[in-house]
Amino acid sequence: MDNFILARRRRELMVAGALLVVAVVVPRFIADVTTLNVIILSLLFAGLAQAWNILGGYCGQISLGHALYFGIGAYVSTLLYVHAGLPPSAGIFLGGVVGGIAALLVGWPCFRLSGHYYAIATVVVGEIGYLLFLNWDYVGGATGVYIPIAKPSLLNLQFGKDKLPYLYLVLAFAAATWIAAWLIEGSRWGYAWRAVKDDVVAARSLGVNIFSSKMAAAAISGFFTGLGGAIYGLYVGYIDPDSVMAGHFSILIALPAVLGGVGTLWGPILGAALLIPVKELSSSYLGGSGRGVDLMLYGAMIVVVALAQPQGLVLLFRRRAHGPA
Amino acid sequence: MTLETLLQVAAGGLLMGLIYALVAAGLSLIFGLMDVVNFAHGELMMLAMYAVFVIWDATGLDPLWQLPVVAGLLFLTGMAIYRGLIARALSVPFNRGMVQIFVTFGLAIFIRGAAQFVWGGEFRAVNHTWLSDRSLNLGGVFLPLPQLAASAVCLAAFAGLLAISRTEFGRALEATREDRDAVALIGIDRDRIFAMGWGLGAGAVGIAGVMLAGFYYVGPNVGASFALIAYVTVALGGFGSMAGALVAGVLIGEVEAFTAVVLEPSLKQIGVFAVYLLVLMFRPRGLFGKL
C-alpha cells in the first residue's frame, strides 16, 4: 500500500478519535431529554447505516430488507432475556450472530439475482419475516413483548431513566461499526468487494470469488444490524413486528448511507446526523396533529439531497479538503 | 372444499389478479423504457382513488363516468413527474441507480404526507355507485359487479396498451427501449418519449385506481400494499414484459386467493411471496424476462 493511502487512513483514524472524544464529552452537558433522545437515535442509525454500507456500499448489493436482521436481533436478545433469563449484555451479541446467520440464509438464494431483482427479493424476504412474526404466537404475535424492568446495571444493560448510559452504548455500537468498515477498507476483502461492486466480470477474471465475497459482506452487515436491533429493543423497552420489523425500517437503515455517500466511511455518519434529527424533530413538532407535514418535509428532503448530491454529502467535505476536482 | 367454493375462490383470484396486472403493467412499462423502478407507483394509484372520491363527493358522478377524466389527470401527473424529477435523476453523473430509487421513494413519502395533509388520515369509501351491491350469478358462483367491471376495464386497458405499441408512437417507444442513444439519430425526441411513457404508466395505474375505488377503501397508505404486490408481479413476470405482467398478475391473484382459504387470510401474502421466491430460483429474471 502506498504512503498516500496509509497517510489518509491514519488521518481518518485521528479524525474519528477526535469525534469520539467530542461525542463522549459534549452529552455530559446536555440535560434536555428530547435532545439526548435525538442524539441516541442518530448514533444508532449512524451505526446501522454503516452496517448496511458494508453490504450495500462496499459490496454494491442494494438490500431493502435489512429490517429483517434488525428485528431478528431485537427479538433474539429480548426473548432470551424473557424466557431464558440470559442477561442482555450477552444477549445483544447473540442477537447479532443470529442476524448474521439470517443474512447468510437470505443471501444464499438471493445473491443469484442481480440489480432490481435482488433489491425486490430483499423487500419480499423482509416482508415475509414481518408477516411470520406478526402471526407467530410464541414471539408475542401482534401484541409484542415487553422487556421486564430490572435494577439498573451494566449486566442487564438497563439504566432506568438515565439516558447517558444508553447514549454511550449506542456510541460504542456506532464506533464499532465504523472501525469494522475502516478495517474492511484497508483489507484484501475490501478491495475484492469493491471489485464485485464495480464490475462482476472483471472481478471474476481476477480470481475474486463473487458469491463468497457477497456472503462475507452479508454476514458482517447482518451481524451489526442485528446487534443494533437488539440495542434498540433494550432502549425502547418494548418490541412488536411494527416497531422493529416493518418495511420502512429497511429504508431508514439504508437512507443515511445513501444520502451521506455510499461506500464511504463518513457517509453513513453524515447522513444520519442530518436525516434523523430532521425526521425526529419534524415528527414531534409537526406530526402531532397527524397532518402529514412531517412526511412531506422528510420526503422532499430525500428528493432534494439525492438530486443535488448524487454522490452523497461527503463530497461537500472532500472538495474542501482537496480543492476542486 | 366443494367444486363451487373452488370456482368461487378461483374467480375472486382472477378478478383481483387482473387489477394487479394492470398496476404492474404501468410499472413494467416505465421500467422497460428507461430502467427506472418507480417506487411512487402505489402513491399514484392512491391519488387516482382520492380523485374519484373527491369528484364523487362533490358531484355524485359515478366512478365509471370519471374514468377518462381521472386517467387523463394521472397521465398529466406522470408526465409532470418525469419532467420535474426523473429527467433530472437520469442526468446525474454518479450513482444513477441509487438516485432514481431514492428520488421516487422520497416522492412516495411526500405524496403520502400530502394526502394526509389534505384529506386526513381516516379511511374514505365511495358508496352507492351504479354497480355497488350488485352481482352476477354464474351457476352458483357469485361475481360482484364492481370487481367484474374492474377486471373488464383492466383487460381493455391492457388491450389498449398493446394497440398503442402497434402505432407509430409505439414503434418509437420500442426503438427508444432498444437503444436510447441511437434513436436521437433518426429524429426521435427521447425526452418526449420518456415523458409519454411516464404518462402512460401513470394513466394505467390511474385506471386501476378508479375501478378499485368502487369497492375498496381509500386512505393515505392504500398504495403501499398494492405497490408491493406490483413490484413482485413485475419481477415475477420479468421486468419490461407486458405479457409477463398479465400472467404474473393473474397467478398472484390466484395464489393469494387460495392461500387465504387454505391457510388463513392474514397469511395470504406469504403464499404469494413464497411462490415468487420459488420461481426466481429457477428463473432469476422472471417468467418472461430475457435470460
Side-chain angles (χ1 to χ4, degrees):
Chain A
M1 223 183 289
D2 60 60
N3 279 333
F4 174 73
I5 295 181
L6 280 179
R8 198 198 65 207
R9 283 176 57 76
R10 206 174 305 129
R11 200 166 54 232
E12 281 164 353
L13 209 53
M14 287 191 306
V15 173
L19 279 177
L20 191 64
V21 171
V22 172
V24 168
V25 174
V26 169
R28 295 199 154 268
F29 302 101
I30 299 174
D32 180 46
V33 180
T34 316
T35 314
L36 285 173
N37 184 46
V38 170
I39 296 175
I40 289 172
L41 289 177
S42 303
L43 285 168
L44 179 77
F45 276 95
L48 289 167
Q50 192 69 272
W52 182 89
N53 193 33
I54 288 171
L55 179 62
Y58 289 112
C59 201
Q61 306 302 303
I62 312 293
S63 159
L64 297 176
H66 261 51
L68 181 67
Y69 319 132
F70 182 80
I72 283 177
Y75 269 102
V76 166
S77 155
T78 305
L79 291 174
L80 281 174
Y81 183 46
V82 174
H83 291 301
L86 184 79
S89 48
I92 57 170
F93 293 102
L94 278 177
V97 169
V98 180
I101 293 171
L104 286 174
L105 290 177
V106 172
W108 183 69
C110 290
F111 283 143
R112 292 160 30 102
L113 309 171
S114 53
H116 295 296
Y117 287 95
Y118 172 77
I120 288 178
T122 58
V123 175
V124 166
V125 172
E127 206 63 25
I128 290 178
Y130 167 77
L131 288 172
L132 285 179
F133 272 75
L134 206 58
N135 289 285
W136 186 7
D137 290 334
Y138 177 75
V139 301
T143 19
V145 194
Y146 278 96
I147 296 166
I149 295 172
K151 227 173 57 193
S153 76
L154 207 56
L155 183 72
N156 286 332
L157 292 178
Q158 289 204 20
F159 311 105
K161 283 202 175 110
D162 197 0
K163 292 248 179 215
L164 209 54
Y166 286 113
L167 192 145
Y168 289 143
L169 183 63
V170 290
L171 179 62
F173 167 68
T177 56
W178 189 90
I179 297 277
W182 184 82
L183 288 172
I184 286 166
E185 260 202 4
S187 75
R188 213 185 146 76
W189 274 4
Y191 287 98
W193 294 356
R194 272 169 281 180
V196 171
K197 171 189 175 175
D198 290 336
D199 190 334
V200 177
V201 178
R204 192 178 288 131
S205 75
L206 291 171
V208 174
N209 186 327
I210 310 296
F211 183 70
S212 46
S213 296
K214 290 178 182 175
M215 288 292 263
I220 297 174
S221 181
F223 169 78
F224 281 115
T225 309
L227 184 63
I231 293 172
Y232 178 78
L234 280 175
Y235 177 59
V236 294
Y238 164 74
I239 58 171
D240 68 352
D242 275 307
S243 66
V244 293
M245 230 177 226
H248 65 87
F249 270 106
S250 295
I251 304 292
L252 200 56
I253 289 170
L255 210 47
V258 173
L259 296 185
V262 279
T264 65
L265 274 176
W266 301 105
I269 296 174
L270 264 178
L274 171 78
L275 187 76
I276 304 299
V278 168
K279 183 176 175 296
E280 287 300 314
L281 296 177
S282 65
S283 70
S284 58
Y285 288 111
L286 303 168
S289 51
R291 297 306 285 172
V293 180
D294 57 326
L295 287 179
M296 288 163 75
L297 193 68
Y298 178 49
M301 189 185 70
I302 295 169
V303 172
V304 169
V305 175
L307 284 179
Q309 282 295 335
Q311 272 184 307
L313 296 163
V314 277
L315 208 67
L316 296 173
F317 289 82
R318 209 168 282 167
R319 276 213 193 102
R320 204 163 296 159
H322 297 297
Chain B
M1 202 187 287
T2 64
L3 182 67
E4 236 161 59
T5 355
L6 203 72
L7 285 174
Q8 182 70 56
V9 173
L14 176 69
L15 295 186
M16 208 60 207
L18 286 169
I19 296 179
Y20 290 156
L22 186 60
V23 177
L27 196 64
S28 194
L29 180 94
I30 292 170
F31 176 85
L33 198 56
M34 62 188 92
D35 269 6
V36 168
V37 175
N38 175 18
F39 278 91
H41 202 62
E43 278 60 34
L44 290 176
M45 191 187 86
M46 176 260 282
L47 282 183
M49 293 175 78
Y50 270 117
V52 171
F53 174 78
V54 168
I55 298 175
W56 172 81
D57 198 40
T59 65
L61 195 65
D62 199 84
L64 271 182
W65 294 111
Q66 295 185 29
L67 199 54
V69 181
V70 176
L73 279 177
L74 263 289
F75 183 89
L76 294 178
T77 310
M79 292 213 1
I81 291 174
Y82 174 77
R83 297 267 186 218
L85 294 176
I86 308 303
R88 269 168 241 255
L90 288 175
S91 68
V92 299
F94 308 100
N95 283 336
R96 204 170 295 155
M98 238 174 264
V99 167
Q100 69 87 13
I101 288 180
F102 286 95
V103 163
T104 55
F105 186 79
L107 176 68
I109 297 181
F110 181 85
I111 295 178
R112 229 177 289 166
Q116 209 173 334
F117 181 71
V118 177
W119 295 293
E122 62 268 29
F123 293 155
R124 317 277 189 153
V126 179
N127 303 314
H128 316 299
T129 67
W130 183 55
L131 292 169
S132 53
D133 300 325
R134 289 207 255 174
S135 63
L136 190 69
N137 184 353
L138 273 182
V141 175
F142 286 90
L143 303 175
L145 277 191
Q147 275 95 323
L148 196 63
S151 41
V153 167
C154 286
L155 264 184
F158 239 99
L161 283 177
L162 284 180
I164 287 173
S165 70
R166 284 166 200 270
T167 62
E168 185 77 12
F169 167 70
R171 281 197 291 275
L173 209 73
E174 187 62 35
T176 313
R177 177 195 317 223
E178 289 289 324
D179 190 332
R180 61 169 81 171
D181 297 314
V183 291
L185 301 175
I186 52 169
I188 293 175
D189 182 353
R190 185 182 70 181
D191 224 34
R192 205 182 127 256
I193 296 286
F194 278 1
M196 293 287 277
W198 267 83
L200 282 176
V205 73
I207 290 174
V210 172
M211 297 315 291
L212 201 61
F215 60 95
Y216 209 86
Y217 74 90
V218 190
N221 293 321
V222 66
S225 58
F226 276 86
L228 182 60
I229 292 282
Y231 303 133
V232 172
T233 309
V234 172
L236 182 61
F239 275 103
S241 162
M242 283 292 142
L246 186 58
V247 172
V250 172
L251 180 66
I252 282 177
E254 293 295 352
V255 171
E256 189 183 73
F258 278 100
T259 320
V261 178
V262 175
L263 296 175
E264 52 179 302
S266 60
L267 290 174
K268 63 179 185 179
Q269 290 196 326
I270 290 201
V272 171
F273 296 154
V275 167
Y276 156 79
L277 288 177
L278 202 69
V279 170
L280 246 57
M281 290 307 101
F282 298 101
R283 297 201 50 98
R285 289 183 170 272
L287 292 170
F288 289 71
K290 293 184 188 82
L291 281 168

